[in-house]
Amino acid sequence: MAEFNSYANPKVETKRFKIYADVSESGLAPEWELQGRGVESWTVEENQDVEKKTDVLGYVDIERGTAQPTQSGVAIKLRKGSKFAEMLFNAWFKRDTSKLDAVKMLQKFEFADGADENTCLARLEEDVMIAINNFTGEAGGCLGFEVDIHYANKTTTGTMPKVDGEAITFTPDSAE
């Protein structure tokens, strides 16, 4: 069971949920880039598939299908030095989104302790599809993309250090 730590005092700040995208070109060893600079909000819609059926006696049977988690309308600003922004721009510019079809992402929950006090809970999400909705810009503002992040439910739970070091590390939970 997750235990909230001092970062949840008294409420958990949004900055304690971090998302990293694998921006490696080879795909062999992940190169994690922290996302969120310029993003004003995060929302992960679970999109639960729930079906209710009432039988002839008036009882309701409820079945839960597979969730289809999605982050909709995420605004990613184009920033020099952001490999993720470059990935998005190149896919959009070349009209070849195939490199956005199976992205790896890490979700880090700094407010929930991991196995020891220096770690927190994390999830590795694989086969994530990034859908570009819009190439955006406003007068006096910045250019960017509005994207939807579609999770494939290929999830590995584990831990990460609460404080990022030079390398971003994810340790999967051991199989029990």
Side-chain angles (χ1 to χ4, degrees):
M1 181 149 167
E3 294 205 18
F4 295 151
N5 56 42
S6 61
Y7 289 147
N9 182 23
K11 297 181 214 173
V12 179
E13 297 174 305
T14 304
K15 68 183 179 181
R16 299 296 173 197
F17 173 56
K18 293 183 177 171
I19 297 175
Y20 303 79
D22 178 9
V23 294
S24 65
E25 293 183 29
S26 68
L28 299 176
E31 180 183 344
W32 300 111
E33 181 181 273
L34 178 62
Q35 301 305 303
R37 181 78 169 95
V39 175
E40 295 178 8
S41 67
W42 291 125
T43 301
V44 180
E45 300 98 11
E46 287 301 307
N47 300 317
Q48 293 286 324
D49 179 19
V50 176
E51 185 175 335
K52 298 177 184 181
K53 292 182 182 176
T54 305
D55 65 18
V56 295
L57 299 175
Y59 293 102
V60 177
D61 289 324
I62 303 174
E63 292 182 18
R64 183 186 316 266
T66 303
Q68 299 172 11
T70 303
Q71 285 182 262
S72 299
V74 178
I76 305 289
K77 301 288 186 211
L78 291 184
R79 293 184 185 280
K80 184 175 182 176
S82 170
K83 289 186 177 183
F84 189 64
E86 287 178 15
M87 282 174 55
L88 292 173
F89 179 77
N90 287 332
W92 175 79
F93 182 77
K94 294 177 182 176
R95 301 273 189 243
D96 179 8
T97 57
S98 62
K99 290 187 179 179
L100 303 177
D101 289 351
V103 177
K104 290 181 186 174
M105 300 192 89
L106 280 174
Q107 296 176 334
K108 181 179 179 184
F109 304 88
E110 290 180 343
F111 56 90
D113 286 332
D116 62 61
E117 67 182 60
N118 296 320
T119 64
C120 60
L121 296 181
R123 291 192 297 213
L124 170 64
E125 299 283 355
E126 296 181 74
D127 295 339
V128 176
M129 181 178 281
I130 310 294
I132 297 173
N133 297 327
N134 299 302
F135 180 56
T136 65
E138 65 278 345
C142 299
L143 293 174
F145 289 97
E146 181 185 292
V147 301
D148 290 345
I149 303 170
H150 299 275
Y151 295 98
N153 288 321
K154 188 173 180 185
T155 304
T156 303
T157 60
T159 59
M160 293 176 70
K162 280 183 194 170
V163 179
D164 290 339
E166 286 189 28
I168 305 300
T169 57
F170 171 77
T171 304
D173 289 337
S174 58
E176 296 179 20

